[in-house]
Structures are given as C-alpha cells and as structure tokens.
Amino acid sequence: MLGSVTTGLVVCVAVLAVASVYGVLHKRRNGRVRVRGRDDGKRLGSAEIGGELGQRATLVQFSSAFCAPCRATRRVLGEVAAMVPGVTHVEIDAEDRLDLVRELEILKTPTVLVLDAGGRVVRRATGQPRKADVIAALGEAV
C-alpha cells in the first residue's frame, strides 16, 4: 500500500514539473517577434489584406472577436503606426478570412505579420507583442 502511494506521489510531482517547464517556455515565446522560415518569399497585397499597404511597412494583425490580447495588440500596433511615418496597421478578423488564415498557417490570435513596402512578410509574432519588439521588427522592413 505504501509503495503505490509513493509511486502515485512521484508521478504527480513529475507531471507538475513537466507542466511547469512547458508553461515557462510557452510564456517566454508568446509575443516575441521572430523570423519564420515558412514566411520566406510570401507576399500579400491590398486585395489579400483588405486595406492599403503602407508606404514603408504594414503591420497586419489577425484577431478574433473574444480575444482580450487582440484588443491590447490593436492599441500597441495603432500607436506604433501613428509614431512611424509610412507605416500602416491593418486588422483582419481571422474568422472572416479562413482562407488566408490557412494559407499563412495562422494558429493563434493575435498573430502579427510585419510586411515591407512590397508586401513581403519579414517578421511574425504570435501572442501580444511588446511595443519595443514591433519597432525593432520595423527596422528590418523599412
């Protein structure tokens, strides 16, 4: 009896440890702006994003209706677009554009794509990005 209780306790501790490590790693990656290999060479035009491309860069945000981080991301991207001349922010409802979501392999909202002046995807962020990371990502696009 004591052996099965000890075994159960060891299993519980192991599961909690693995879950904690996963949670910490997931939180560290969430919102980071990074280059994604699968975006190489993809270009989006005005027709795909439903708005005009910025003269220097475009911040494309994929959102969903009940996503709290999407509202905060909208605010951050709007502030950055207002600060940097020639940068436009376009928000796309992921539910309305499932074809584009599938094509770009958008798995989570918010997802932000940073496009250069020609519409080429140069950076991608999943989760709520920090303003400093968005500004740094624009450096590559402009």
Side-chain angles (χ1 to χ4, degrees):
M1 172 102 171
L2 185 58
S4 65
V5 171
T6 304
T7 303
L9 184 60
V10 169
V11 169
C12 285
V13 169
V15 168
L16 285 173
V18 169
S20 296
V21 168
Y22 173 78
V24 168
L25 292 175
H26 180 70
K27 185 172 174 98
R28 286 187 67 210
R29 291 184 54 189
N30 194 27
R32 291 251 174 122
V33 179
R34 54 193 168 273
V35 175
R36 299 287 298 263
R38 67 176 171 230
D39 290 330
D40 260 356
K42 289 196 177 169
R43 290 190 184 274
L44 300 174
S46 298
E48 286 93 2
I49 65 172
E52 290 299 315
L53 292 174
Q55 291 175 342
R56 297 176 68 197
T58 306
L59 302 170
V60 179
Q61 174 185 351
F62 287 86
S63 300
S64 53
F66 299 104
C67 168
C70 293
R71 291 188 289 276
T73 299
R74 178 183 313 122
R75 181 183 50 77
V76 167
L77 297 181
E79 289 173 4
V80 170
M83 275 178 18
V84 182
V87 174
T88 302
H89 170 227
V90 176
E91 187 171 3
I92 298 173
D93 186 334
E95 296 171 18
D96 290 343
R97 295 296 313 273
L98 288 177
D99 57 330
L100 191 57
V101 166
R102 288 184 188 111
E103 178 185 334
L104 297 171
E105 299 179 34
I106 306 294
L107 303 176
K108 174 181 176 180
T109 58
T111 293
V112 177
L113 303 178
V114 180
L115 311 180
D116 65 10
R120 185 176 60 92
V121 178
V122 294
R123 295 279 180 167
R124 174 188 285 237
T126 302
Q128 183 180 341
R130 298 178 319 181
K131 185 187 282 188
D133 291 337
V134 175
I135 292 169
L138 282 174
E140 184 176 331
V142 289

